[in-house]
Amino acid sequence: MGFMTKEFIATVHPQSTATTAATRESADSRPAAIDVPTGLFVGGEFCSGGQGETFEVLDASTGQGFVNVHSATEDDARKALDIACDVQEEWAATSPRERAEILRRIHELIIDHGDDLAALQSLELGRALPDSKGEVTYGAEYFRWFSERACDIRGDYRIAPAGNGRIVTMQRPVGPCLAITPWNFPLAMVARKLAPALAAGCTMIAKPPQLTPLTMLYVAQLTKQAGLPDGVFQVLPTKSASNVSCLLDDDRLRKLTFTGSTEVGQMLAAKAAEKTIRTSLELGGNAPFVALSHANVDRAVESAFGSKMRGGGQVCVASNRFIIHKDIAEEFISGLVDRLKECVVGPGNHPDTTVGPMVSAEQRDKVADMVDGAVNQGATVELGGFNPATAGDGKVKTSADLDPQGFWYAPTVLTGVDQSFDIAHQEIFGPVVAIQVVDSDEEALKRANDTKFGLAGYVCGEKLEATLAFAEKMEAGMIGVNKGVLSDAAAPFGGVKQSGLGREGGFEGIDEYLETLYLSLDL
């Protein structure tokens, strides 16, 4: 990796952070040490920010910093956009096959470096290693999927209805793009944006989240190894998001793609509208999980577990509101509590851990406040509801002695939740199941749609016709039917209402980075 100097490399040790000697000797695939870039990635090189400032990345299992990353300034962002604009025409002119081959090599390199990437994500995010390994496979798949889409870009040639000419259409790249990604999927979120942009022939500047910047920087070096020309992809970590979002003031930027909160997304979209910058947004959610009167309870429990506990509940499509028909409610609650008791809370890179810490103290405290608020409004705690590093009830398992400075919260089940409770209208973003019991499937649908959000939803039922009819009436962009995990690189990802605009992934994903040119021929 000759393009990296020692000044911009840090060696991190995922096995030695918040683990015991016995743990480090266990047989697993975690690397003992990982060399990661810590600089800005601009023009194909890692470098410092213009003012020489850095920010600290914390280990969520200890609350302690373990690496410093260089911070971009507005001037750094402007320089990156200058470079992106300089190389845009040349990159757009490359053949679809050439772009496809580069994307395929990125996919292969991510898989080859999968152990490093998984351990790195579990270190900077705190997430359990099995979930991080799953994201490596999932994120890499976007590069393979869009490598196959690069050669599918097409147009049209037809006779004008009046018969006096020809209508010719073609698609071309929109131009330089800005991607802003969230902390909870540090690999998949950049993959879902970068892969279609590259396939379409667009350059991209990406701002990784301040909490989890290392994975994207690691991916940046892999794109370089794969042969991506300098300046086509650039990464600007920063401790001030406005240092990068300032690019929305520049007429040369032609596309914004953002994943994050509804409030921030709407603010950025309003700013982008001032320059008529094309925008795609994946925003907040408040996903309902509905178990109909005829649901298979065992199947519903497993679906509910998958839809909530992936990533410890810190997932935009995680179920928030569990709406269960009264006929199966008692059995469902008992089964889900037993299933959650199997979870093991611990440091993300510990081999026994299935639920890691929250990403930050702020996020942990926000979830704890939601649970306390629900209890004050009348909810009952069936499991959890505490920090397992400082309290316990003998029902929540831990993988080791938890550092009290870590950002822990136990898997939690609340019953007796009413639609009027605050927690029924909040995106929980943590390992908390809030259960509402309803008298009818009709009431379940009404409650499911009673939200301004519409990213994802889930429904379980054994009567196929009735279940599909219910799913088609749910107001969300994505519906899981008798399953709790629905993300797929080959499927369109996105929401309705205040959960976003546009789609990522699937056949539709590349269209977000293409514009249509119409040629009118007079023959």
Short mmCIF file of all heavy atoms in Angstrom, two decimals, residues 155-214:
data_model
loop_
_atom_site.label_atom_id
_atom_site.label_comp_id
_atom_site.label_asym_id
_atom_site.label_seq_id
_atom_site.Cartn_x
_atom_site.Cartn_y
_atom_site.Cartn_z
N GLY A 155 -30.89 3.07 -23.50
CA GLY A 155 -31.75 4.15 -23.96
C GLY A 155 -32.84 3.59 -24.87
O GLY A 155 -33.21 2.42 -24.78
N ASP A 156 -33.34 4.46 -25.78
CA ASP A 156 -34.47 4.06 -26.61
C ASP A 156 -34.39 4.78 -27.96
O ASP A 156 -33.87 5.90 -28.05
CB ASP A 156 -35.78 4.42 -25.90
CG ASP A 156 -37.00 3.85 -26.60
OD1 ASP A 156 -36.89 2.77 -27.20
OD2 ASP A 156 -38.05 4.50 -26.57
N TYR A 157 -34.90 4.12 -28.99
CA TYR A 157 -34.98 4.70 -30.33
C TYR A 157 -36.34 4.33 -30.89
O TYR A 157 -36.68 3.15 -30.98
CB TYR A 157 -33.88 4.13 -31.24
CG TYR A 157 -33.91 4.62 -32.66
CD1 TYR A 157 -33.13 5.71 -33.06
CD2 TYR A 157 -34.70 3.99 -33.63
CE1 TYR A 157 -33.15 6.16 -34.37
CE2 TYR A 157 -34.74 4.43 -34.94
CZ TYR A 157 -33.96 5.52 -35.31
OH TYR A 157 -33.99 5.97 -36.61
N ARG A 158 -37.16 5.34 -31.22
CA ARG A 158 -38.50 5.05 -31.72
C ARG A 158 -38.99 6.16 -32.65
O ARG A 158 -38.47 7.28 -32.64
CB ARG A 158 -39.48 4.87 -30.56
CG ARG A 158 -39.54 6.00 -29.56
CD ARG A 158 -40.29 5.57 -28.29
NE ARG A 158 -40.15 6.52 -27.21
CZ ARG A 158 -41.00 7.52 -26.96
NH1 ARG A 158 -42.07 7.68 -27.75
NH2 ARG A 158 -40.81 8.34 -25.96
N ILE A 159 -39.97 5.80 -33.44
CA ILE A 159 -40.58 6.76 -34.35
C ILE A 159 -41.48 7.70 -33.57
O ILE A 159 -42.27 7.27 -32.71
CB ILE A 159 -41.41 6.02 -35.42
CG1 ILE A 159 -40.51 5.08 -36.22
CG2 ILE A 159 -42.13 7.01 -36.34
CD1 ILE A 159 -41.27 4.17 -37.17
N ALA A 160 -41.37 9.00 -33.85
CA ALA A 160 -42.27 9.96 -33.22
C ALA A 160 -43.71 9.67 -33.63
O ALA A 160 -43.96 9.25 -34.77
CB ALA A 160 -41.88 11.38 -33.61
N PRO A 161 -44.68 9.84 -32.73
CA PRO A 161 -46.07 9.53 -33.07
C PRO A 161 -46.57 10.20 -34.34
O PRO A 161 -47.37 9.63 -35.08
CB PRO A 161 -46.84 10.02 -31.84
CG PRO A 161 -45.86 9.90 -30.72
CD PRO A 161 -44.55 10.25 -31.32
N ALA A 162 -46.07 11.41 -34.61
CA ALA A 162 -46.50 12.11 -35.83
C ALA A 162 -45.85 11.56 -37.08
O ALA A 162 -46.23 11.92 -38.20
CB ALA A 162 -46.20 13.60 -35.70
N GLY A 163 -44.85 10.69 -36.91
CA GLY A 163 -44.20 10.07 -38.05
C GLY A 163 -43.18 10.95 -38.74
O GLY A 163 -42.64 10.57 -39.79
N ASN A 164 -42.87 12.11 -38.18
CA ASN A 164 -41.98 13.05 -38.87
C ASN A 164 -40.58 13.12 -38.27
O ASN A 164 -39.86 14.08 -38.49
CB ASN A 164 -42.60 14.45 -38.83
CG ASN A 164 -42.85 14.92 -37.39
OD1 ASN A 164 -42.72 14.14 -36.46
ND2 ASN A 164 -43.22 16.19 -37.24
N GLY A 165 -40.20 12.14 -37.50
CA GLY A 165 -38.88 12.14 -36.91
C GLY A 165 -38.68 10.96 -36.01
O GLY A 165 -39.49 10.02 -35.99
N ARG A 166 -37.60 11.00 -35.28
CA ARG A 166 -37.27 9.91 -34.37
C ARG A 166 -37.01 10.48 -32.98
O ARG A 166 -36.46 11.57 -32.82
CB ARG A 166 -36.02 9.15 -34.83
CG ARG A 166 -36.17 8.51 -36.21
CD ARG A 166 -37.19 7.39 -36.20
NE ARG A 166 -37.29 6.72 -37.49
CZ ARG A 166 -38.12 7.07 -38.47
NH1 ARG A 166 -38.94 8.11 -38.29
NH2 ARG A 166 -38.14 6.42 -39.61
N ILE A 167 -37.42 9.73 -31.97
CA ILE A 167 -37.14 10.06 -30.57
C ILE A 167 -36.05 9.13 -30.07
O ILE A 167 -36.23 7.91 -30.07
CB ILE A 167 -38.41 9.92 -29.70
CG1 ILE A 167 -39.46 10.95 -30.15
CG2 ILE A 167 -38.07 10.09 -28.22
CD1 ILE A 167 -40.81 10.77 -29.48
N VAL A 168 -34.96 9.70 -29.68
CA VAL A 168 -33.82 8.93 -29.18
C VAL A 168 -33.54 9.37 -27.75
O VAL A 168 -33.46 10.57 -27.46
CB VAL A 168 -32.57 9.13 -30.04
CG1 VAL A 168 -31.39 8.34 -29.48
CG2 VAL A 168 -32.83 8.75 -31.49
N THR A 169 -33.43 8.42 -26.84
CA THR A 169 -33.06 8.73 -25.46
C THR A 169 -31.83 7.93 -25.05
O THR A 169 -31.60 6.82 -25.55
CB THR A 169 -34.19 8.43 -24.47
OG1 THR A 169 -34.49 7.04 -24.49
CG2 THR A 169 -35.44 9.24 -24.81
N MET A 170 -31.04 8.51 -24.16
CA MET A 170 -29.88 7.82 -23.61
C MET A 170 -29.70 8.29 -22.18
O MET A 170 -30.23 9.34 -21.77
CB MET A 170 -28.63 8.10 -24.43
CG MET A 170 -28.24 9.58 -24.50
SD MET A 170 -26.76 9.87 -25.47
CE MET A 170 -25.52 9.12 -24.40
N GLN A 171 -29.01 7.50 -21.39
CA GLN A 171 -28.74 7.86 -20.00
C GLN A 171 -27.27 8.19 -19.82
O GLN A 171 -26.40 7.53 -20.38
CB GLN A 171 -29.16 6.72 -19.07
CG GLN A 171 -30.66 6.50 -19.03
CD GLN A 171 -31.04 5.37 -18.08
OE1 GLN A 171 -30.66 4.22 -18.29
NE2 GLN A 171 -31.78 5.71 -17.04
N ARG A 172 -27.03 9.19 -19.01
CA ARG A 172 -25.65 9.59 -18.73
C ARG A 172 -25.53 9.93 -17.24
O ARG A 172 -26.53 10.22 -16.58
CB ARG A 172 -25.25 10.79 -19.59
CG ARG A 172 -26.11 12.02 -19.40
CD ARG A 172 -25.73 13.11 -20.38
NE ARG A 172 -26.55 14.32 -20.19
CZ ARG A 172 -26.52 15.36 -21.01
NH1 ARG A 172 -25.75 15.34 -22.09
NH2 ARG A 172 -27.27 16.42 -20.77
N PRO A 173 -24.31 9.90 -16.69
CA PRO A 173 -24.14 10.14 -15.25
C PRO A 173 -24.54 11.56 -14.86
O PRO A 173 -24.34 12.51 -15.62
CB PRO A 173 -22.65 9.89 -15.02
CG PRO A 173 -22.02 9.98 -16.38
CD PRO A 173 -23.05 9.54 -17.35
N VAL A 174 -25.12 11.69 -13.65
CA VAL A 174 -25.54 13.01 -13.21
C VAL A 174 -24.35 13.92 -12.92
O VAL A 174 -24.45 15.14 -13.02
CB VAL A 174 -26.44 12.93 -11.95
CG1 VAL A 174 -27.71 12.17 -12.26
CG2 VAL A 174 -25.71 12.30 -10.78
N GLY A 175 -23.21 13.34 -12.53
CA GLY A 175 -22.03 14.14 -12.22
C GLY A 175 -21.56 13.94 -10.80
O GLY A 175 -21.94 12.97 -10.13
N PRO A 176 -20.73 14.85 -10.29
CA PRO A 176 -20.16 14.69 -8.94
C PRO A 176 -21.24 14.56 -7.87
O PRO A 176 -22.21 15.31 -7.86
CB PRO A 176 -19.34 15.96 -8.76
CG PRO A 176 -18.99 16.39 -10.14
CD PRO A 176 -20.18 16.04 -10.97
N CYS A 177 -21.04 13.61 -6.96
CA CYS A 177 -22.03 13.30 -5.92
C CYS A 177 -21.42 13.48 -4.52
O CYS A 177 -20.21 13.30 -4.33
CB CYS A 177 -22.49 11.84 -6.04
SG CYS A 177 -23.13 11.38 -7.65
N LEU A 178 -22.29 13.80 -3.59
CA LEU A 178 -21.91 13.85 -2.18
C LEU A 178 -22.73 12.81 -1.44
O LEU A 178 -23.97 12.80 -1.53
CB LEU A 178 -22.19 15.24 -1.59
CG LEU A 178 -22.03 15.37 -0.06
CD1 LEU A 178 -20.59 15.10 0.36
CD2 LEU A 178 -22.47 16.77 0.40
N ALA A 179 -22.05 11.93 -0.71
CA ALA A 179 -22.72 10.90 0.10
C ALA A 179 -22.44 11.17 1.57
O ALA A 179 -21.29 11.37 1.97
CB ALA A 179 -22.23 9.51 -0.29
N ILE A 180 -23.50 11.17 2.38
CA ILE A 180 -23.38 11.31 3.82
C ILE A 180 -24.01 10.08 4.44
O ILE A 180 -25.19 9.79 4.21
CB ILE A 180 -24.06 12.60 4.31
CG1 ILE A 180 -23.42 13.82 3.64
CG2 ILE A 180 -23.97 12.71 5.83
CD1 ILE A 180 -24.08 15.14 3.99
N THR A 181 -23.23 9.34 5.22
CA THR A 181 -23.67 8.02 5.70
C THR A 181 -23.78 8.00 7.23
O THR A 181 -23.14 8.78 7.93
CB THR A 181 -22.70 6.92 5.24
OG1 THR A 181 -21.42 7.14 5.84
CG2 THR A 181 -22.56 6.93 3.72
N PRO A 182 -24.58 7.06 7.77
CA PRO A 182 -24.78 6.96 9.21
C PRO A 182 -23.77 6.02 9.87
O PRO A 182 -23.03 5.31 9.19
CB PRO A 182 -26.19 6.38 9.30
CG PRO A 182 -26.25 5.47 8.12
CD PRO A 182 -25.44 6.13 7.03
N TRP A 183 -23.81 6.01 11.20
CA TRP A 183 -22.82 5.23 11.94
C TRP A 183 -23.17 3.76 12.07
O TRP A 183 -22.30 2.94 12.38
CB TRP A 183 -22.64 5.81 13.35
CG TRP A 183 -23.91 6.07 14.11
CD1 TRP A 183 -24.55 7.27 14.24
CD2 TRP A 183 -24.69 5.12 14.84
NE1 TRP A 183 -25.69 7.11 15.00
CE2 TRP A 183 -25.80 5.81 15.39
CE3 TRP A 183 -24.58 3.75 15.09
CZ2 TRP A 183 -26.78 5.18 16.16
CZ3 TRP A 183 -25.54 3.12 15.85
CH2 TRP A 183 -26.63 3.83 16.38
N ASN A 184 -24.43 3.35 11.83
CA ASN A 184 -24.83 2.01 12.22
C ASN A 184 -24.47 0.92 11.22
O ASN A 184 -24.42 -0.25 11.58
CB ASN A 184 -26.33 1.97 12.52
CG ASN A 184 -27.19 2.39 11.34
OD1 ASN A 184 -26.75 3.16 10.48
ND2 ASN A 184 -28.41 1.90 11.29
N PHE A 185 -24.23 1.28 9.95
CA PHE A 185 -23.76 0.31 8.95
C PHE A 185 -22.60 0.95 8.20
O PHE A 185 -22.76 1.40 7.06
CB PHE A 185 -24.89 -0.08 7.99
CG PHE A 185 -25.84 -1.10 8.54
CD1 PHE A 185 -26.97 -0.70 9.24
CD2 PHE A 185 -25.60 -2.46 8.39
CE1 PHE A 185 -27.85 -1.63 9.76
CE2 PHE A 185 -26.47 -3.40 8.90
CZ PHE A 185 -27.60 -2.99 9.60
N PRO A 186 -21.42 0.99 8.80
CA PRO A 186 -20.32 1.76 8.23
C PRO A 186 -19.80 1.24 6.90
O PRO A 186 -19.19 1.99 6.13
CB PRO A 186 -19.24 1.71 9.31
CG PRO A 186 -19.59 0.54 10.16
CD PRO A 186 -21.07 0.41 10.12
N LEU A 187 -20.05 -0.04 6.58
CA LEU A 187 -19.63 -0.58 5.28
C LEU A 187 -20.79 -0.58 4.28
O LEU A 187 -20.67 -0.08 3.17
CB LEU A 187 -19.06 -1.99 5.45
CG LEU A 187 -18.30 -2.57 4.25
CD1 LEU A 187 -17.36 -3.68 4.71
CD2 LEU A 187 -19.21 -3.12 3.16
N ALA A 188 -21.91 -1.13 4.68
CA ALA A 188 -23.02 -1.29 3.75
C ALA A 188 -23.57 0.03 3.23
O ALA A 188 -23.98 0.13 2.07
CB ALA A 188 -24.14 -2.10 4.40
N MET A 189 -23.59 1.06 4.09
CA MET A 189 -24.17 2.33 3.66
C MET A 189 -23.33 3.01 2.59
O MET A 189 -23.87 3.59 1.65
CB MET A 189 -24.37 3.26 4.84
CG MET A 189 -25.42 2.81 5.85
SD MET A 189 -27.08 2.58 5.15
CE MET A 189 -27.06 0.80 4.83
N VAL A 190 -22.01 2.95 2.72
CA VAL A 190 -21.19 3.54 1.65
C VAL A 190 -21.24 2.66 0.41
O VAL A 190 -21.28 3.16 -0.72
CB VAL A 190 -19.74 3.78 2.13
CG1 VAL A 190 -19.00 2.48 2.40
CG2 VAL A 190 -18.99 4.59 1.09
N ALA A 191 -21.31 1.34 0.59
CA ALA A 191 -21.39 0.45 -0.56
C ALA A 191 -22.67 0.69 -1.36
O ALA A 191 -22.66 0.68 -2.59
CB ALA A 191 -21.33 -1.01 -0.09
N ARG A 192 -23.78 0.89 -0.65
CA ARG A 192 -25.08 1.06 -1.30
C ARG A 192 -25.14 2.35 -2.11
O ARG A 192 -25.96 2.46 -3.03
CB ARG A 192 -26.17 1.05 -0.24
CG ARG A 192 -27.51 0.56 -0.74
CD ARG A 192 -28.37 0.05 0.38
NE ARG A 192 -28.83 1.10 1.27
CZ ARG A 192 -29.42 0.88 2.44
NH1 ARG A 192 -29.57 -0.36 2.87
NH2 ARG A 192 -29.82 1.87 3.19
N LYS A 193 -24.28 3.30 -1.80
CA LYS A 193 -24.24 4.57 -2.53
C LYS A 193 -23.10 4.60 -3.55
O LYS A 193 -23.28 5.05 -4.69
CB LYS A 193 -24.09 5.72 -1.53
CG LYS A 193 -25.23 5.80 -0.53
CD LYS A 193 -24.98 6.86 0.52
CE LYS A 193 -26.04 6.82 1.62
NZ LYS A 193 -27.40 7.01 1.16
N LEU A 194 -21.94 4.14 -3.14
CA LEU A 194 -20.77 4.22 -4.00
C LEU A 194 -20.88 3.29 -5.21
O LEU A 194 -20.55 3.69 -6.33
CB LEU A 194 -19.51 3.90 -3.20
CG LEU A 194 -18.19 3.88 -3.98
CD1 LEU A 194 -17.91 5.24 -4.60
CD2 LEU A 194 -17.04 3.45 -3.08
N ALA A 195 -21.32 2.05 -4.99
CA ALA A 195 -21.34 1.07 -6.09
C ALA A 195 -22.19 1.54 -7.28
O ALA A 195 -21.73 1.51 -8.42
CB ALA A 195 -21.82 -0.28 -5.57
N PRO A 196 -23.45 2.00 -7.08
CA PRO A 196 -24.21 2.46 -8.24
C PRO A 196 -23.65 3.74 -8.84
O PRO A 196 -23.74 3.95 -10.06
CB PRO A 196 -25.62 2.67 -7.69
CG PRO A 196 -25.44 2.87 -6.23
CD PRO A 196 -24.27 2.01 -5.86
N ALA A 197 -23.08 4.62 -8.01
CA ALA A 197 -22.49 5.84 -8.55
C ALA A 197 -21.34 5.51 -9.48
O ALA A 197 -21.23 6.07 -10.59
CB ALA A 197 -22.01 6.74 -7.40
N LEU A 198 -20.47 4.60 -9.05
CA LEU A 198 -19.35 4.20 -9.91
C LEU A 198 -19.84 3.50 -11.17
O LEU A 198 -19.33 3.75 -12.27
CB LEU A 198 -18.39 3.29 -9.14
CG LEU A 198 -17.69 3.89 -7.92
CD1 LEU A 198 -16.75 2.87 -7.30
CD2 LEU A 198 -16.94 5.16 -8.29
N ALA A 199 -20.82 2.64 -11.03
CA ALA A 199 -21.36 1.93 -12.19
C ALA A 199 -21.94 2.90 -13.21
O ALA A 199 -21.82 2.70 -14.43
CB ALA A 199 -22.43 0.93 -11.75
N ALA A 200 -22.55 3.98 -12.73
CA ALA A 200 -23.17 4.97 -13.62
C ALA A 200 -22.14 5.90 -14.25
O ALA A 200 -22.45 6.57 -15.25
CB ALA A 200 -24.20 5.78 -12.85
N GLY A 201 -20.95 5.99 -13.66
CA GLY A 201 -19.93 6.89 -14.19
C GLY A 201 -19.82 8.19 -13.43
O GLY A 201 -19.34 9.19 -13.97
N CYS A 202 -20.23 8.20 -12.16
CA CYS A 202 -20.17 9.40 -11.32
C CYS A 202 -18.97 9.35 -10.38
O CYS A 202 -18.60 8.29 -9.89
CB CYS A 202 -21.43 9.54 -10.47
SG CYS A 202 -22.96 9.76 -11.40
N THR A 203 -18.40 10.51 -10.11
CA THR A 203 -17.44 10.63 -9.02
C THR A 203 -18.19 10.86 -7.72
O THR A 203 -19.33 11.32 -7.72
CB THR A 203 -16.47 11.78 -9.27
OG1 THR A 203 -17.21 13.01 -9.40
CG2 THR A 203 -15.66 11.56 -10.54
N MET A 204 -17.56 10.53 -6.60
CA MET A 204 -18.25 10.66 -5.32
C MET A 204 -17.31 11.13 -4.22
O MET A 204 -16.18 10.64 -4.10
CB MET A 204 -18.89 9.34 -4.91
CG MET A 204 -19.55 9.36 -3.53
SD MET A 204 -20.55 7.91 -3.19
CE MET A 204 -22.06 8.32 -4.09
N ILE A 205 -17.80 12.08 -3.42
CA ILE A 205 -17.17 12.49 -2.17
C ILE A 205 -18.06 11.96 -1.05
O ILE A 205 -19.28 12.15 -1.08
CB ILE A 205 -17.06 14.02 -2.08
CG1 ILE A 205 -16.17 14.55 -3.21
CG2 ILE A 205 -16.52 14.45 -0.72
CD1 ILE A 205 -16.27 16.06 -3.39
N ALA A 206 -17.47 11.30 -0.06
CA ALA A 206 -18.26 10.71 1.02
C ALA A 206 -17.80 11.25 2.36
O ALA A 206 -16.60 11.37 2.62
CB ALA A 206 -18.16 9.20 1.00
N LYS A 207 -18.77 11.56 3.21
CA LYS A 207 -18.49 11.93 4.60
C LYS A 207 -18.90 10.77 5.50
O LYS A 207 -20.08 10.49 5.65
CB LYS A 207 -19.25 13.19 5.03
CG LYS A 207 -18.81 13.70 6.41
CD LYS A 207 -19.81 14.62 7.05
CE LYS A 207 -20.90 13.86 7.76
NZ LYS A 207 -20.41 13.07 8.93
N PRO A 208 -17.93 10.08 6.10
CA PRO A 208 -18.29 9.01 7.03
C PRO A 208 -18.78 9.60 8.34
O PRO A 208 -18.51 10.76 8.66
CB PRO A 208 -16.97 8.26 7.21
CG PRO A 208 -15.92 9.31 7.03
CD PRO A 208 -16.47 10.26 6.00
N PRO A 209 -19.49 8.82 9.15
CA PRO A 209 -19.95 9.31 10.46
C PRO A 209 -18.77 9.51 11.40
O PRO A 209 -17.79 8.76 11.35
CB PRO A 209 -20.89 8.20 10.94
CG PRO A 209 -20.42 6.98 10.21
CD PRO A 209 -19.92 7.44 8.89
N GLN A 210 -18.88 10.50 12.26
CA GLN A 210 -17.80 10.77 13.21
C GLN A 210 -17.61 9.61 14.19
O GLN A 210 -16.49 9.33 14.61
CB GLN A 210 -18.09 12.06 13.98
CG GLN A 210 -16.96 12.50 14.90
CD GLN A 210 -17.25 13.82 15.58
OE1 GLN A 210 -18.15 14.55 15.18
NE2 GLN A 210 -16.48 14.15 16.61
N LEU A 211 -18.69 8.90 14.52
CA LEU A 211 -18.59 7.80 15.49
C LEU A 211 -17.89 6.58 14.91
O LEU A 211 -17.22 5.85 15.64
CB LEU A 211 -19.99 7.41 15.98
CG LEU A 211 -20.72 8.43 16.86
CD1 LEU A 211 -22.15 7.97 17.11
CD2 LEU A 211 -19.98 8.63 18.18
N THR A 212 -18.06 6.33 13.60
CA THR A 212 -17.52 5.11 13.00
C THR A 212 -16.90 5.41 11.63
O THR A 212 -17.39 4.94 10.60
CB THR A 212 -18.62 4.04 12.84
OG1 THR A 212 -19.69 4.59 12.02
CG2 THR A 212 -19.20 3.63 14.18
N PRO A 213 -15.78 6.14 11.58
CA PRO A 213 -15.20 6.52 10.29
C PRO A 213 -14.21 5.51 9.71
O PRO A 213 -13.88 5.58 8.52
CB PRO A 213 -14.47 7.82 10.62
CG PRO A 213 -14.00 7.60 12.04
CD PRO A 213 -15.09 6.79 12.71
N LEU A 214 -13.73 4.57 10.52
CA LEU A 214 -12.58 3.76 10.11
C LEU A 214 -12.91 2.78 8.99
O LEU A 214 -12.09 2.53 8.11
CB LEU A 214 -12.02 3.00 11.32
CG LEU A 214 -11.52 3.89 12.47
CD1 LEU A 214 -11.09 3.03 13.65
CD2 LEU A 214 -10.37 4.78 12.01
#
